[in-house]
């Protein structure tokens, strides 16, 4: 048995919208989708990394009061959260595939420091970088 990080959570403004984006456009799979009243535990996995879950959570009670939840939604929408990085073998091919699926990029592939990267945001405003490391 080894120790590892199993899940990281993102704040999203709408979990249905996030589900459609991460599953329909990025090609992730749903790991868990359970509801308990207003609370929804929604996690997805990258198809090539089944041991890791990405939680798509709405800021809400009991973790946050209404004002804090609103502030968190506004910060995410402004792109204030740190970006996530998805390692890819071919940045330009992944860019083309995701763009064809409707992902709106904020930066086309750029080669720098021996790597190639491109940036996009999810519908809530979370920043993503796809990164092809140099060989």
């Amino acid at each position: 048995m080894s120790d590892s990080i199993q899940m990281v959570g993102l704040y999203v403004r709408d979990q249905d919208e996030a589900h459609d984006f991460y599953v329909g456009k990025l090609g992730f799979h749903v790991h868990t989708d359970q509801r308990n009243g207003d609370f929804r535990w929604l996690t997805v996995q990258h198809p090539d990394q089944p041991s890791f879950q990405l939680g798509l959570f709405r800021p809400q009670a009991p973790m946050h009061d209404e004002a804090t939840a609103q502030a968190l939604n506004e910060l995410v929408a402004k792109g204030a959260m740190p970006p996530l990085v998805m390692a890819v073998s071919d940045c330009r091919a992944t860019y083309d595939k995701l763009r064809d699926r409707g992902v709106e990029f904020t930066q086309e592939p750029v080669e720098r420091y021996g790597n190639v990267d491109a940036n996009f945001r999810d519908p809530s405003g979370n920043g993503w970088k796809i990164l092809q490391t140099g060989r």
Side-chain angles (χ1 to χ4, degrees), residues 26-29 44-52 86-89 94 97:
L26 297 187
F28 286 45
H29 302 289
V44 294
Q45 296 174 305
H46 188 279
D48 295 335
Q49 195 175 13
S51 64
F52 182 79
M86 184 185 325
V88 297
S89 59
T94 301
K97 179 178 71 177

Side-chain angles (χ1 to χ4, degrees), residues 21-22 26 28 46 81-88 91 94-95 98 103-113 115-122 125-133:
F21 180 80
Y22 283 90
L26 297 187
F28 286 45
H46 188 279
M81 299 301 169
L84 297 111
V85 177
M86 184 185 325
V88 297
C91 183
T94 301
Y95 169 85
L98 295 180
V103 174
E104 296 179 20
F105 279 81
T106 57
Q107 176 203 300
E108 295 180 358
V110 173
E111 187 168 346
R112 54 183 152 203
Y113 311 116
N115 303 316
V116 181
D117 66 84
N119 299 326
F120 66 89
R121 287 187 177 190
D122 74 9
N126 292 295
W128 279 88
K129 178 180 290 293
I130 55 173
L131 176 66
Q132 174 189 342
T133 57

Side-chain angles (χ1 to χ4, degrees), residues 6-27:
Q6 185 179 22
M7 186 187 77
V8 170
L10 292 178
Y11 284 133
V12 298
R13 67 176 173 217
D14 181 304
Q15 289 176 300
D16 289 332
E17 178 183 58
H19 173 281
D20 292 348
F21 180 80
Y22 283 90
V23 173
K25 293 186 178 179
L26 297 187

